[in-house]
Amino acid sequence: DRNNAIIEESAIIEELNKVGRLEVMQCQIGKKITISNNAKLEWFKKETVIDYKVMAHYYLDLTKCSISVNNNVLTIYVNKPIIIETNILYDLTKVSTNNGCLAFEELKLTPEEQLQIEDSLCSSITKECEEEIDSSKDYAVRGIDGLVSKINSDIIKINIVYK
């Protein structure tokens, strides 16, 4: 019976390794950035507010997991999901301007400044999203259940233990 369990475990590990990375969750976050000319008088003030919408993608690396199967319960030991990519959703991002009555023209950003703002925005969102990682466990269980049920329909429960 132990031989069957070892064969079963190796088949599951092989399938999980084939998948590699599994996206377990997406999280959309809004972040406002204000750009201003810092004029001391309201009349000359120029201000642009960019309300960015960003999508963060959480992945579980299944190439470095270990498992155990006991009484039809699969336990997977794996590193916590990480955010591998963040995408700015430009179609949902809104820009508004607030200029004083004597402020002409709008504030303009160079492509380099725009890129720098967006890079720092994505890295700050990655830090903020770390708090959501624990809630990704439920999604990870569902995703892995879909994979494992193809190999072994006898598995009745999946536990994920983050290292």
Side-chain angles (χ1 to χ4, degrees):
D1 193 42
R2 181 66 193 145
N3 271 352
N4 286 345
I6 291 170
I7 291 168
E8 181 178 287
E9 285 181 14
S10 65
I12 292 171
I13 280 283
E14 188 177 316
E15 188 64 29
L16 295 177
N17 284 337
K18 262 196 261 178
V19 170
R21 287 192 322 216
L22 177 68
E23 184 173 12
V24 292
M25 195 169 93
Q26 293 180 355
C27 184
Q28 183 178 314
I29 293 134
K31 191 92 164 175
K32 286 186 181 182
I33 292 179
T34 302
I35 304 160
S36 174
N37 67 350
N38 295 322
K40 294 191 184 338
L41 295 173
E42 268 311 300
W43 289 3
F44 298 103
K45 187 175 185 179
K46 292 182 188 180
E47 189 175 82
T48 300
V49 177
I50 306 171
D51 185 6
Y52 283 102
K53 299 295 183 223
V54 180
M55 184 71 74
H57 301 267
Y58 294 78
Y59 289 90
L60 207 54
D61 184 0
L62 298 175
T63 61
K64 298 177 181 122
C65 69
S66 59
I67 67 166
S68 67
V69 178
N70 195 359
N71 296 327
N72 292 335
V73 175
L74 169 65
T75 302
I76 300 176
Y77 304 92
V78 65
N79 291 329
K80 284 185 174 187
I82 56 171
I83 298 167
I84 292 189
E85 60 183 293
T86 52
N87 303 356
I88 296 175
L89 305 172
Y90 291 103
D91 55 328
L92 299 178
T93 296
K94 294 182 175 46
V95 178
S96 61
T97 57
N98 180 16
N99 290 342
C101 58
L102 295 178
F104 302 104
E105 298 181 9
E106 290 183 16
L107 289 173
K108 301 247 187 278
L109 291 174
T110 66
E112 293 80 18
E113 291 169 327
Q114 181 80 22
L115 188 61
Q116 184 180 7
I117 286 171
E118 291 176 0
D119 283 348
S120 66
L121 171 78
C122 286
S123 63
S124 76
I125 284 191
T126 298
K127 288 183 186 85
E128 281 180 38
C129 289
E130 296 294 322
E131 300 162 6
E132 300 295 325
I133 283 181
D134 287 335
S135 64
S136 70
K137 206 179 260 193
D138 295 336
Y139 299 107
V141 166
R142 281 189 232 141
I144 290 172
D145 184 43
L147 295 170
V148 171
S149 62
K150 295 174 193 169
I151 305 165
N152 184 339
S153 57
D154 295 335
I155 299 289
I156 54 172
K157 184 174 182 191
I158 296 174
N159 293 320
I160 295 179
V161 178
Y162 290 149
K163 299 180 197 174

